[in-house]
Amino acid sequence: MTVTLGSVLSCLTSSTLLTILAWVILKGEFTFKTVGRYICILLAAIPVRMLLPVEFGFTTTFYSRHFMTSVRDFLFIEINSGASAVTIGQVLLFVWIAGVICNCCLRVGEYLYFIHMIRRCPNYYEHNMDTVISEINRDYGKRKKFKVLLVPGIRTPAVFGVVHPQILMPVTNYSQGEIYFILRHEMLHYYHRDMLVRILCEFLCTIYWWNPAVYLFERLVVQVLEIRVDSVLAAGFSEAEKIGYMECILKSIKAGGAEKTPLMITFAAQKGKAVKQRFYCIWGNHWQSKRRKGFFMAAFSCLLFLMSVSVVVESLYSEEVPGTFGYPNPETSYLLERDGGYGLYIDGEFMGEVLEITEPITELEIYKDEGELKNEN
C-alpha cells in the first residue's frame, strides 16, 4: 500500500460522492422507505474509505496528462521566503496539520470542561430513577448502572460516557411517562454502542476539518442513529404510546434543541425534516425493510466501495518533473515497475509516474518490485 497524490484525491472524491449519495437516499421518502435500515451499510463504508487514502496492490492506475499534472505542478510551485524556499504543497500540508492540532486541542478542551462541569451537578431526583432504570434493564436483559444528573447547562436529555454512562437531564419538567421514554431511549443508545460511533465521527471531523462533506456525514449518522433507536423502541409500543413518545420528542425540541457538546447523544438531536422522518418511522415502522432489498443494498454498497479503491488517477511525466529536480543522482534515485509504467523515486521519495524512460532518468536503476529493491540494498 502506498500513499500518493492520486490516492489522496481519489479518497476525498469517492468519500464525498458516497456521502452525497447517502444524503440523497435519506432525503427521499421513497428511497429511504425502500432501503430502510440497510442504509447503515453504505454509511459504514464511508469512514472506512476516508481512513484509507492509499493505493492497494489491485488498484488500477490511470494517467492524466493534463489535470493531475497541472495539480502536481501547482503543488510544487516554490514560494521564496528569505534564505529558504517552500512549495505550495508544503504550505497546504502545514495548514492541514496545524488545523488538525488546533481542532484536536479545541475538542479535547471542550470535553474536559464539560466533564468538570457535570461533576458538580446534583443527582436528578424528580422521580425514582433507580426503579425505572432497573425496570428498563430487565427488559433489555442488561445490568449496567446509569447515573442520572440534573445539568442546568443543557436543554435536552442526553447520554454521555463510554465506560461509566451518565444520563443528563435539563431543568425541563418531565412527567413520569416522559422520563420512562427518555431513559429507555438514551439507554438503548448506550447498549447499541452509539457512543463509539460518535467518537469515530469526531475523529473524522478533526482530521478532515476543512472538508464540508465530513460534517454532512456526521449529520447523516446522527439522523440514522436516532431513527434506529426510535424504530426499535416503537416496535413494541401501542398507538397511544407512540403518540406519547412523539409528544415527548417535540417537547424536548421546543425546550431548546440539540447540544453542541462533543461525544454526547441527545434525545432531540435534529429539527425540521429529520424529525418528520423520525415520526414517519415511529408510526409506520418503515425502518424494517425486507431482507431481499437489504441484500441488494449491501451488494450495491460493497460494489461502490470496491470501485472507489480500485481506480486511481496519477500525474504523468514523460520528461523532467517540473520544479523538482534536474538530473537525479543514480545512487539514491531509481524506477519501480508498476501497472505498465514506472514509479519514479528521487532520493527515496516518490515523485510521480512515467510511461517511458527518457532524459533525464535514463541512467536510473529499474526494479521489478519492492522486494528486489530491498534485496539490492
Side-chain angles (χ1 to χ4, degrees), residues 177-178 181 234 237-251 267 279 282-283:
E178 290 170 336
F181 287 139
F237 286 170
S238 64
E239 289 190 0
E241 287 174 322
K242 289 180 180 180
I243 293 173
Y245 182 57
M246 291 188 287
E247 289 177 343
C248 184
I249 294 175
L250 287 176
K251 183 176 181 178
F267 184 66
F279 289 176
I282 291 171
W283 191 257

Side-chain angles (χ1 to χ4, degrees), residues 62-298:
F62 292 93
Y63 300 97
S64 170
R65 294 181 180 272
H66 302 290
F67 176 74
M68 286 297 296
T69 302
S70 299
V71 170
R72 196 173 194 286
D73 289 348
F74 172 76
L75 293 177
F76 275 92
I77 294 176
E78 291 189 349
I79 303 174
N80 294 315
S81 177
S84 60
V86 295
T87 65
I88 291 179
Q90 290 172 329
V91 172
L92 293 177
L93 181 61
F94 173 79
V95 172
W96 187 344
I97 295 174
V100 171
I101 295 173
C102 292
N103 220 329
C104 184
C105 292
L106 179 63
R107 291 174 187 270
V108 170
E110 290 178 349
Y111 178 75
L112 294 177
Y113 172 78
F114 190 73
I115 290 178
H116 177 72
M117 182 190 73
I118 64 175
R119 281 178 178 172
R120 297 178 295 173
C121 294
N123 291 332
Y124 189 81
Y125 289 116
E126 287 292 325
H127 304 279
N128 190 344
M129 292 294 162
D130 291 338
T131 301
V132 179
I133 290 174
S134 297
E135 179 184 345
I136 296 172
N137 270 332
R138 282 195 300 271
D139 292 341
Y140 290 156
K142 304 289 185 179
R143 301 173 63 180
K144 191 71 177 182
K145 293 183 178 180
F146 290 80
K147 192 174 183 179
V148 185
L149 301 176
L150 177 63
V151 185
I154 67 173
R155 294 167 292 177
T156 184
V159 63
F160 181 79
V162 176
V163 180
H164 302 291
Q166 301 171 85
I167 296 177
L168 314 179
M169 298 294 297
V171 294
T172 306
N173 184 27
Y174 289 103
S175 66
Q176 180 73 35
E178 290 170 336
I179 290 293
Y180 176 79
F181 287 139
I182 291 169
L183 294 184
R184 197 173 184 92
H185 179 101
E186 300 302 341
M187 289 170 66
L188 191 57
H189 269 306
Y190 180 81
Y191 287 137
H192 279 174
R193 295 180 176 83
D194 291 343
M195 291 301 300
L196 298 179
V197 178
R198 291 288 287 122
I199 291 174
L200 174 61
C201 289
E202 290 293 326
F203 176 76
L204 292 175
C205 289
T206 301
I207 298 299
Y208 294 102
W209 57 270
W210 49 268
N211 188 359
V214 76
Y215 299 102
L216 174 60
F217 170 74
E218 182 183 35
R219 185 161 63 87
L220 295 178
V221 168
V222 171
Q223 181 180 347
V224 168
L225 291 180
E226 294 301 326
I227 290 175
R228 182 178 65 163
V229 167
D230 289 338
S231 300
V232 172
L233 292 181
F237 286 170
S238 64
E239 289 190 0
E241 287 174 322
K242 289 180 180 180
I243 293 173
Y245 182 57
M246 291 188 287
E247 289 177 343
C248 184
I249 294 175
L250 287 176
K251 183 176 181 178
S252 295
I253 293 174
K254 291 178 181 179
E259 305 294 333
K260 299 298 182 181
T261 306
L263 307 183
M264 186 171 70
I265 300 178
T266 60
F267 184 66
Q270 295 174 330
K271 299 180 179 180
K273 189 170 183 178
V275 177
K276 179 182 177 182
Q277 206 163 44
R278 288 179 68 180
F279 289 176
Y280 180 73
C281 291
I282 291 171
W283 191 257
N285 195 28
H286 296 300
W287 180 247
Q288 304 295 330
S289 57
K290 296 181 179 179
R291 289 187 178 182
R292 180 173 58 85
K293 296 176 181 178
F295 171 79
F296 286 113
M297 185 61 195

